[in-house]
C-alpha cells in the first residue's frame, strides 16, 4: 500500500473528481479524518489474498433478460415539477461556459 | 391507542370481527403519533389525509380475512420512494422531492391494504449508525431520550418501539435494520440479498442494500416479510426462487438445531454486559434442546475495512446522479454548469455523505484501485468462505447484534471510526449477502440488547423458527419503554 496515505493536495484532487469543494478549514478536517480511515484500511494489506477471486456481487442471478416493450408515460408534468428550474416545458440550466467561469 | 398490547394477529381479528374499523385504527394511530412523536421525532413526513382516505375505502370494501396486514398502519423509511409523498432520504438534496412512482415494496403495501402512516427519519442517504446524520431532526431512543435510536433506520425502529406503528420498513446496507432493532428492543430482519426488490430504494451500496421489516414480535416480522418478498422484473438482482410462508415453521420446537457462536463475536471489543446477555441466550437455546458450539470466522475482523471501501465506492458512483439538474437541490447564483454540479453537491450533501463519497472516489481512483477496491473485493470472498465453512456443520450462527447498547446523543458523531465500529458484527452478513435478524435478548443498564441470528442464503425460515422459539421462552419482547412515565 501507499507509504504516504493522503495529504491535503490529494484530498483536493479527489474532491475535484467527486464534484465537491471544501473551504480550507473543511479540507483540513477531512484530510485528518480520511487519513485515519484510510489508515484503518491498511490492515487489509496484512491479509494474504494471493489467487483469491474478487467478489463484486452476491446475487444468485446472472442475466435478467426481458422483452423490450415500449410503454407510454404521461408523467411529464410531475417529472418537471421536481426540476429546480424550468422554461417552456423543459429543464433550464445555466450556460455551460460563461465569461467568468472555467466550465469544462 | 398504542401497539404495546396487540400483535398483528390480534389487531387483524378485531378488524375482521368489526370490533375496530380501519378508519378508527388509523385515527387512533395518528392521535397517538402526534403525542408520542413529540418526544422522539421518529417521523419526517406524515401521510394523514391519504391514509384516512385509504382506511375509509378499505372499510367500504371490507377487510380480507386471509390478509393479516390489511388495514395495518405502517411506517416507511424515507429512502423508499412513495408516489406523491415527499421522499427526502433525510437529505437537504431531496428536501422537496416528490416521487412519480412507488417502490415495489410500497406497491405491495398499498395493494395489500396496508395504511401508510408516513416516512421515518434516518441518517442521510442511510449513511450512519445513530440517525444523527439526518439533515432535519435527531430521533431519540424511546427507552431513554438522551440516547440515539441507532441507525440508519433509527426512525423506523423508534416508531415501532414507542408503539406508534406495529410495523415499519427499513433498509440495511451494513446493519441499518439490525443495529437500531437491537438499540430499541425490537425485531429487525435483513433478508438475503435478492429476496426483496430494491426497485425504488434510493441506492447507497447496490451490492449490499436490502429492505426489511421491523416489528415487536418474530411472527409479525415473518408476516411483514411475506408481504414484500419475491422476484421483481424491475430489479435484475431480485431472486426468482420460490418464497416460502415465513410464518409456517413457528412451532417453538428447535430440538436438535445446530447453532454456532463465533468466538470473534464475543471478544474484548464487545461490552462485557452485552456478552453476558448473549451467554444467557446461548444457555436458553441449549435449554430448548439446540446445541451451541464455538466456531471461528477469522476474516470477520477485516469486514469493517472491506465494507467501508466497497460501500463507499458504490455510494460515490450511485450519488453522482445528484447534480442539481433534473431534480433535487440546486445552489443559488451559479454561473455555469460546473458551478451547478459542484456548488449544489457541496451545499446539498451533509458531512458524512461527503466523507463516504470522498472515500469511495479515492478507493476507485488511479493508483489506489488495486490496493483498496480490488483488495477489499478479495477479502469479501474470504469472509464469504468463512461463513460457508461454518454452515457446512451448523444451521444457524448467533452472536450480539452490536458491540454496545445505545450510546448518548452526541457521543460518537464527531469520530467517524468509532461510529463505523458499531457495524462490526453486522457488516460481514451484508458482504456475504446472508439473512440476519436481531431479536430482543435482554438489557444492559436498562437499555435493550439484541441477539443476532445469521442464516444460510435464502434460509430466513430457520431464523424465524429459532427466533420464535427464543421469544416464546423469554419475555424481553414484552417489555416496553415508559417514555418518561407517560405510558
Amino acid at each position: 500500500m501507499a507509504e504516504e496515505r493522503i495529504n491535503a493536495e490529494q484530498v483536493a484532487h479527489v474532491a475535484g473528481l467527486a464534484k465537491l469543494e471544501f473551504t480550507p478549514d473543511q479540507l483540513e478536517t477531512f484530510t485528518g479524518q480520511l487519513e485515519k480511515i484510510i489508515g484503518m484500511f491498511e490492515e487489509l494489506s496484512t491479509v494474504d489474498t494471493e489467487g483469491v477471486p474478487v467478489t463484486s456481487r452476491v446475487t444468485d442471478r446472472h442475466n435478467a433478460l426481458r422483452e423490450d416493450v415500449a410503454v407510454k408515460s404521461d408523467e411529464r408534468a410531475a417529472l418537471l415539477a421536481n426540476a429546480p428550474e424550468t422554461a417552456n416545458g423543459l429543464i433550464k440550466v445555466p450556460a455551460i461556459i460563461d465569461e467568468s467561469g472555467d466550465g469544462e | 391507542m398504542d401497539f404495546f398490547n396487540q400483535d398483528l394477529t390480534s389487531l387483524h381479528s378485531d378488524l375482521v370481527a368489526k370490533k375496530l374499523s380501519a378508519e378508527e385504527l388509523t385515527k387512533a394511530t395518528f392521535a397517538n403519533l402526534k403525542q408520542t412523536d413529540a418526544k422522539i421525532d421518529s417521523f419526517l413526513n406524515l401521510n394523514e389525509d391519504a391514509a384516512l382516505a385509504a382506511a375509509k375505502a378499505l372499510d367500504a370494501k371490507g377487510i380480507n380475512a386471509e390478509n393479516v396486514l390489511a388495514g395495518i398502519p405502517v411506517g416507511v423509511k424515507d429512502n423508499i420512494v412513495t408516489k406523491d409523498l415527499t421522499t427526502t432520504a433525510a437529505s437537504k438534496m431531496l428536501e422537496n422531492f416528490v416521487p412519480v412512482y412507488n417502490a415495489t415494496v410500497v406497491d405491495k403495501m398499498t395493494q395489500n391494504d396496508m395504511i401508510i402512516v408516513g416516512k421515518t427519519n434516518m441518517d442521510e442517504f442511510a449513511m450512519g449508525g445513530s440517525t444523527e446524520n439526518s439533515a432535519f431532526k435527531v430521533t431519540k431512543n424511546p427507552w431513554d431520550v438522551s440516547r440515539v435510536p441507532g441507525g440508519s433506520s433509527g426512525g423506523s425502529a423508534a416508531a415501532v418501539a414507542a408503539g406508534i406503528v406495529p410495523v415499519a420498513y427499513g433498509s440495511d446496507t451494513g446493519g441499518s435494520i439490525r443495529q437500531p432493532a437491537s438499540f430499541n428492543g425490537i425485531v429487525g430482519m435483513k433478508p438475503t440479498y435478492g429476496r426483496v426488490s430494491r426497485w425504488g430504494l434510493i441506492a447507497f451500496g447496490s451490492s449490499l442494500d436490502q429492505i426489511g421489516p421491523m416489528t415487536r414480535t418474530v411472527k409479525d416480522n415473518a408476516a411483514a416479510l411475506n408481504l414484500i418478498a419475491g422476484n421483481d422484473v424491475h430489479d435484475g438482482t431480485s431472486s426468482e426462487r420460490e418464497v416460502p410462508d415465513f410464518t409456517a415453521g413457528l412451532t417453538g420446537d428447535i430440538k436438535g438445531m445446530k447453532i454456532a457462536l463465533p468466538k470473534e463475536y464475543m471478544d474484548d471489543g464487545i461490552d462485557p454486559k452485552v456478552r453476558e446477555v448473549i451467554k444467557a441466550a446461548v444457555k436458553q437455546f441449549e435449554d430448548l434442546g439446540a446445541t451451541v458450539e464455538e466456531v471461528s470466522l477469522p476474516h470477520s475482523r477485516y469486514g469493517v475495512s472491506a465494507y467501508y471501501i466497497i460501500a463507499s465506492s458504490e455510494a460515490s458512483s450511485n450519488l453522482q446522479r445528484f447534480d442539481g439538474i433534473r431534480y433535487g437541490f440546486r445552489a443559488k447564483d451559479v454561473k455555469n454548469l460546473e458551478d451547478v454540479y459542484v456548488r449544489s453537491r457541496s451545499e446539498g450533501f451533509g458531512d458524512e455523505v461527503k466523507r463516504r463519497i470522498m472515500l469511495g472516489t479515492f478507493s476507485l481512483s488511479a493508483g489506489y484501485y488495486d490496493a483498496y477496491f480490488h483488495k477489499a473485493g478479495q477479502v469479501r470472498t474470504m469472509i464469504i468462505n468463512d461463513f460457508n465453512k461454518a454452515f457446512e456443520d451448523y444451521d444457524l450462527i448467533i452472536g450480539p447484534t452490536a458491540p454496545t447498547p445505545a450510546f448518548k446523543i452526541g457521543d460518537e458523531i464527531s469520530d467517524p471510526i468509532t461510529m463505523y465500529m458499531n457495524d462490526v458484527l453486522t457488516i460481514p452478513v451484508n458482504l456475504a449477502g446472508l439473512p440476519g435478524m436481531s431479536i430482543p435478548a435482554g438489557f444492559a443498564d436498562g437499555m435493550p440488547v439484541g441477539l443476532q441470528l445469521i442464516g444460510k442464503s435464502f434460509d430466513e425460515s430457520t431464523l424465524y423458527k429459532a427466533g420464535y422459539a427464543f421469544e416464546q421462552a423469554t419475555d424481553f419482547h414484552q417489555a416496553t419503554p415508559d417514555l418518561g412515565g407517560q405510558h
Side-chain angles (χ1 to χ4, degrees), chain B residues 149-374:
Chain B
S152 66
S153 310
S156 289
V160 171
I164 295 175
V165 283
V167 184
Y169 288 92
S171 69
D172 189 316
T173 305
S176 281
I177 287 172
R178 291 160 289 159
Q179 182 253 27
S182 175
F183 281 14
N184 287 278
I186 64 165
V187 181
M189 165 66 90
K190 195 290 283 184
T192 308
Y193 185 84
R195 181 60 98 185
V196 176
S197 169
R198 292 180 294 113
W199 174 254
L201 172 66
I202 295 174
F204 163 12
S206 300
S207 80
L208 303 156
D209 298 339
Q210 271 290 287
I211 296 170
M214 307 175 83
T215 58
R216 293 193 62 240
T217 70
V218 171
K219 191 176 175 188
D220 285 2
N221 202 282
L225 180 59
N226 277 348
L227 179 87
I228 60 167
N231 178 247
D232 176 16
V233 68
H234 293 305
D235 176 3
T237 63
S238 66
S239 178
E240 291 175 301
R241 282 177 196 240
E242 199 178 325
V243 180
D245 175 1
F246 296 114
T247 64
L250 309 183
T251 59
D253 179 9
I254 56 163
K255 280 191 195 71
M257 191 178 275
K258 292 163 78 176
I259 301 176
L261 177 70
K263 64 179 183 190
E264 293 81 4
Y265 277 47
M266 294 291 275
D267 70 14
D268 293 348
I270 311 303
D271 183 330
K273 287 174 182 165
V274 170
R275 275 185 273 158
E276 285 311 309
V277 168
I278 303 307
K279 280 181 195 163
V282 167
K283 173 82 169 51
Q284 184 68 64
F285 278 114
E286 288 172 343
D287 289 349
L288 286 163
T291 57
V292 184
E293 292 174 351
E294 189 179 276
V295 296
S296 177
L297 300 174
H299 298 93
S300 62
R301 59 176 290 216
Y302 302 109
V304 171
S305 287
Y307 170 86
Y308 276 92
I309 292 169
I310 292 166
S312 301
S313 295
E314 294 182 6
S316 77
S317 173
N318 276 323
L319 270 59
Q320 283 181 62
R321 74 191 64 178
F322 298 103
D323 57 5
I325 302 293
R326 291 153 300 157
Y327 58 91
F329 175 79
R330 182 186 289 182
K332 302 278 174 273
D333 304 322
V334 283
K335 292 195 188 70
N336 55 48
L337 201 55
E338 179 76 2
D339 238 17
V340 176
Y341 299 148
V342 173
R343 298 246 330 272
S344 300
R345 289 166 63 82
S346 298
E347 293 172 29
F349 290 136
D351 279 353
E352 183 59 29
V353 173
K354 289 180 190 169
R355 237 177 334 265
R356 305 279 181 107
I357 292 172
M358 292 291 287
L359 280 172
T361 306
F362 171 78
S363 301
L364 292 170
S365 66
Y368 298 99
Y369 181 91
D370 282 342
Y372 296 101
F373 190 69
H374 185 86

Side-chain angles (χ1 to χ4, degrees), chain A residues 10 21 33 43 53 55 60 82, chain B residues 98 239 305 346 355 368 381:
Chain A
Q10 284 170 297
E21 64 184 3
Q33 288 172 339
E43 69 179 355
T55 297
D60 66 350
N82 275 310
Chain B
V98 182
S239 178
S305 287
S346 298
R355 237 177 334 265
Y368 298 99
T381 303

